[in-house]
Amino acid sequence: MEYLKKTEYTGCHRGMRYRLEGVAKEEGGKVLRATVWPEPFNFFTTPREEKESEEFSFAEEGVVDAVAWMNERFCARQDKWDHAAERWDILPETWR
């Protein structure tokens, strides 16, 4: 949790990239946002429509819930992750 209070945590697993980050809410407080997307590009280069996000409590149990959600997304979309590295066509036209 101390790490997430300062910056985001990113990684990848077999074609699925992920990011955990603390996000301030307008009404005060913070939530933990988990985002997954297919390789081969980073968070900022990947088009928004290729990403899936969910928010959780900004606490230890929120991290556990976020990891469970990411595992569920990995299992549910296995075909997407298996061929993710081949998806160079999702690169935005402005980056080509």
Side-chain angles (χ1 to χ4, degrees):
M1 288 308 304
E2 292 304 312
Y3 185 85
L4 290 171
K5 288 179 183 177
K6 298 176 184 175
T7 191
E8 69 279 343
Y9 179 81
T10 61
C12 63
H13 177 72
R14 299 177 60 196
M16 183 182 83
R17 295 197 180 208
Y18 57 86
R19 175 182 167 119
L20 295 172
E21 62 184 315
V23 178
K25 298 305 272 184
E26 287 182 17
E27 59 274 0
K30 212 175 204 184
V31 294
L32 179 66
R33 180 178 296 150
T35 305
V36 297
W37 67 95
E39 290 184 334
F41 304 111
N42 68 25
F43 180 81
F44 299 104
T45 306
T46 302
R48 183 179 295 138
E49 60 272 7
E50 292 287 327
K51 300 174 193 171
E52 296 178 61
S53 296
E54 190 69 41
E55 293 181 349
F56 304 91
S57 68
F58 195 79
E60 302 260 345
E61 61 271 5
V63 174
V64 172
D65 293 341
V67 170
W69 177 80
M70 290 187 296
N71 285 330
E72 185 275 325
R73 297 313 310 141
F74 180 76
C75 292
R77 301 294 306 272
Q78 190 64 55
D79 59 323
K80 182 177 186 174
W81 317 124
D82 284 346
H83 300 285
E86 303 163 10
R87 301 273 333 272
W88 289 91
D89 60 317
I90 67 170
L91 183 65
E93 190 66 37
T94 57
W95 288 78
R96 293 181 193 180

